[in-house]
Amino acid sequence: EVVPTCERYAVRRLPFARLADGDVAFFERLMPGRVVTGEEEVKPFNVDWLRSVRGCSQLVLKPQTTAEVSQVLRYCYERNLAVNPQGGNTGLVGGSVPVFDEIILSTALMNQIISFDKVSGILVCQAGCVLERLNEYLEEQGFIMPLDLGAKGSCHIGGNVATNAGGLRLLRYGSLRGTVLGLEVVLADGSALDCLTSLRKDNTGYDLKQLFIGSEGTLGVITAVSILCPQKPKAVNVAFLGCQSFDKVLETFTTCRAMLGEILSAYEFMDEKCMELVERHLKLSSPVADSPFYVLIETSGSNSTHDEEKLNNFLEQAMASGLVTDGTVATDDKKIKASHLRERITEALTHEGYVYKYDISLPLGKLYDLVTDVRARLGQSAKNVVGYGHVGDGNLHLNITAESYSHSLLDAIEPFVYEWTARFSGSISAEHGLGFKKKQFIQYSKPRQAVVLMQHFKAMLDPKGILNPYKTLPSAP
């Protein structure tokens, strides 16, 4: 059983109103049959995917329209009831579940595609659309979503935007800050902000949507998204390689970028410990044997013969110069398996017991040194210390596993990891956000003036602080 977050982290509840029978009656009139109240029924919404934090909400609301979200927030604002917006609940920093008894506002039923323009590739849809469903819809039209994550089968596009999720396609298509063209957002007081434009270029005033991208539901509830989707590549190739050192992984990346150019769509690495866990817990096997490091390269292009030729030339060069000790270009079924290996590391780690997760951006030369230093620091007190991630965009996933949660182990890891990251001007959260677990460490990545300015934005857009309280920003002094 997961210990309630407020107990484990000793957080104080802010002076929000408590839920009363009259409140529930109001919501039941507003959306009959879409109000969840039973303890067992509410339970899955209270616990995060990692089973590491747990809230005590007694109410889940499932609106279907922006108008309903507006009415819910207007009511909660007047009554001073705190609200926790929730998408697919696949976040990794405790941002998507309540800390106390906040009302959960689930976007699960806001799953309609509003429009898709086959000429421009612009998709407009409600926030609760599941990423994988959107991708399937687009593939039928010859397009794909510009982002891809391990959680694609359950995460919602609204949650992806609210957390500015990164994932496996970022190297090729950039971040959501570039591909999201417009948003519809309901503010704390219930007013709807319609910035749902479908224009690639729009230089009129401040770019308000950027405030909400990555704001983790603390400034407004995203209800609809307009997003630019790339054409589905005709040819996708995957190569899986073994490297003897992390320096070789980086040298291979330089060569790879130079030789594959515009068709390079992913460059991922994992260490041998990751591979060992994936093989042990998920019974998947590596296409390349016994290497200290593994690299997954994906190319996406419009001409398979041309792409394969480029990839094979690169591989020959990498093998001949000793950068790579072993490698394979995957055929169709193996291709899926190789990508699967990388995507399912998170899942394999959960079989190890409790996982301490860190998602760090660092200069490439320093990327793996953090793993080595943490391994040396923790010694036998941790079960495993592993590193994997997106070399293409300087993003390391550092994971530490133990039989169960231990406060003394946490003290050995934090703030050491954050101090180390700050020393090399890295970011303490590359793509997962700050949520609940990392908000008090924001100063390792942002100067004090920036944090104060963020607190001003929060106070202006949500003066009563009812939206996703206890998350993203440190408590104002």
Side-chain angles (χ1 to χ4, degrees):
E1 188 62 19
V2 187
V3 181
T5 309
C6 52
E7 287 173 27
R8 176 178 286 173
Y9 292 92
V11 198
R12 292 237 312 274
R13 185 183 184 277
L14 293 171
F16 298 113
R18 303 258 177 200
L19 192 66
D21 292 345
D23 302 324
V24 179
F26 170 81
F27 295 125
E28 280 175 337
R29 282 196 303 278
L30 177 65
M31 41 182 127
R34 291 179 282 123
V35 175
V36 183
T37 50
E39 194 180 332
E40 279 308 301
E41 289 82 351
V42 172
K43 204 174 180 179
F45 297 88
N46 264 318
V47 183
D48 72 328
W49 183 79
L50 287 171
R51 302 192 58 72
S52 62
V53 282
R54 172 163 83 88
C56 306
S57 178
Q58 295 147 16
L59 181 67
V60 179
L61 303 176
K62 294 184 171 182
Q64 285 177 317
T65 63
T66 303
E68 287 178 345
V69 176
S70 280
Q71 285 171 286
V72 167
L73 288 184
R74 188 176 305 121
Y75 182 87
C76 291
Y77 189 74
E78 282 167 11
R79 276 274 293 116
N80 197 31
L81 290 162
V83 178
N84 181 105
Q86 186 178 96
N89 196 12
T90 59
L92 300 172
V93 286
S96 60
V97 293
V99 177
F100 291 94
D101 55 348
E102 300 90 281
I103 293 170
I104 297 170
L105 181 67
S106 165
T107 52
L109 300 180
M110 300 186 73
N111 55 6
Q112 301 300 306
I113 289 169
I114 298 164
S115 65
F116 178 64
D117 183 325
K118 280 188 77 162
V119 180
S120 63
I122 295 168
L123 171 78
V124 181
C125 64
Q126 283 187 301
C129 292
V130 171
L131 182 59
E132 194 166 37
R133 296 289 87 77
L134 288 176
N135 208 59
E136 286 163 1
Y137 167 83
L138 288 170
E139 283 197 350
E140 288 171 12
Q141 325 263 337
F143 287 79
I144 57 170
M145 286 299 280
L147 75 160
D148 183 25
L149 320 168
K152 60 182 169 232
S154 40
C155 65
H156 296 181
I157 188 64
N160 296 150
V161 173
T163 55
N164 188 27
L168 308 164
R169 289 179 183 161
L170 193 131
L171 174 66
R172 177 66 171 273
Y173 301 119
S175 84
L176 286 170
R177 294 197 176 280
T179 52
V180 170
L181 303 177
L183 291 177
E184 179 185 65
V185 181
V186 177
L187 302 178
D189 65 0
S191 53
L193 175 69
D194 182 357
C195 291
L196 201 59
T197 59
S198 297
L199 302 169
R200 296 277 309 260
K201 290 177 153 179
D202 177 10
N203 250 354
T204 49
Y206 304 134
D207 190 359
L208 294 179
K209 69 174 180 289
Q210 293 297 349
L211 257 186
F212 299 98
I213 299 174
S215 68
E216 303 186 87
T218 60
L219 299 179
V221 177
I222 295 170
T223 50
V225 177
S226 164
I227 189 164
L228 180 67
C229 303
Q231 274 195 294
K232 184 183 176 181
K234 291 193 174 70
V236 175
N237 291 294
V238 170
F240 204 80
L241 320 173
C243 292
Q244 288 306 304
S245 68
F246 193 71
D247 283 344
K248 292 266 197 286
V249 169
L250 294 181
E251 281 181 65
T252 306
F253 178 52
T254 310
T255 309
C256 176
R257 244 192 333 198
M259 293 185 73
L260 299 178
E262 76 292 344
I263 64 168
L264 178 64
S265 53
Y267 190 98
E268 306 278 318
F269 92 97
M270 57 203 270
D271 61 18
E272 60 185 335
K273 270 270 177 253
C274 283
M275 180 61 81
E276 200 182 289
L277 296 177
V278 169
E279 291 185 328
R280 185 189 324 153
H281 296 302
L282 306 178
K283 308 289 181 268
L284 295 171
S285 58
S286 166
V288 171
D290 307 328
S291 285
F293 292 93
Y294 298 91
V295 170
L296 174 82
I297 293 169
E298 184 192 74
T299 65
S300 314
S302 54
N303 182 327
S304 56
T305 328
H306 165 265
D307 292 3
E308 274 169 40
E309 192 183 325
K310 271 189 157 176
L311 193 54
N312 287 324
N313 288 344
F314 155 72
L315 264 183
E316 278 171 32
Q317 164 85 24
M319 301 282 262
S321 57
L323 289 178
V324 169
T325 42
D326 191 1
T328 169
V329 173
T331 49
D332 284 349
D333 53 334
K334 287 215 183 90
K335 197 185 292 180
I336 313 297
K337 274 193 187 140
S339 308
H340 227 52
L341 283 171
R342 161 65 186 87
E343 274 184 24
R344 294 182 66 193
I345 296 171
T346 309
E347 187 189 332
L349 286 160
T350 56
H351 290 270
E352 284 285 286
Y354 190 86
V355 189
Y356 300 84
K357 301 188 85 68
Y358 299 91
D359 157 51
I360 309 285
S361 276
L362 283 165
L364 283 176
K366 287 280 164 213
L367 203 65
Y368 199 74
D369 293 351
L370 177 57
V371 183
T372 317
D373 285 5
V374 169
R375 213 171 260 160
R377 178 180 169 87
L378 300 180
Q380 296 302 302
S381 61
K383 204 165 158 185
N384 275 302
V385 177
V386 307
Y388 64 98
H390 319 285
V391 175
D393 31 83
N395 180 188
L396 168 75
H397 293 308
L398 164 72
N399 285 253
I400 298 141
T401 64
E403 285 301 340
S404 57
Y405 174 80
S406 138
H407 209 73
S408 59
L409 182 55
L410 184 67
D411 287 344
I413 303 168
E414 295 175 13
F416 175 80
V417 165
Y418 300 135
E419 286 166 352
W420 198 103
T421 303
R423 194 158 72 242
F424 298 104
S425 308
S427 164
I428 64 158
S429 184
E431 60 179 8
H432 294 167
L434 295 166
F436 172 78
K437 293 182 188 173
K438 295 185 180 179
K439 62 166 190 165
Q440 70 275 34
F441 299 114
I442 192 172
Q443 76 277 7
Y444 288 104
S445 289
K446 289 286 186 286
R448 207 183 73 81
Q449 306 92 295
V451 177
V452 168
L453 195 55
M454 290 180 202
Q455 285 165 332
H456 287 331
F457 281 132
K458 170 75 172 166
M460 176 181 71
L461 288 169
D462 181 13
K464 294 185 176 180
I466 65 164
L467 283 178
N468 222 8
Y470 323 103
K471 318 275 175 66
T472 308
L473 297 178
S475 322

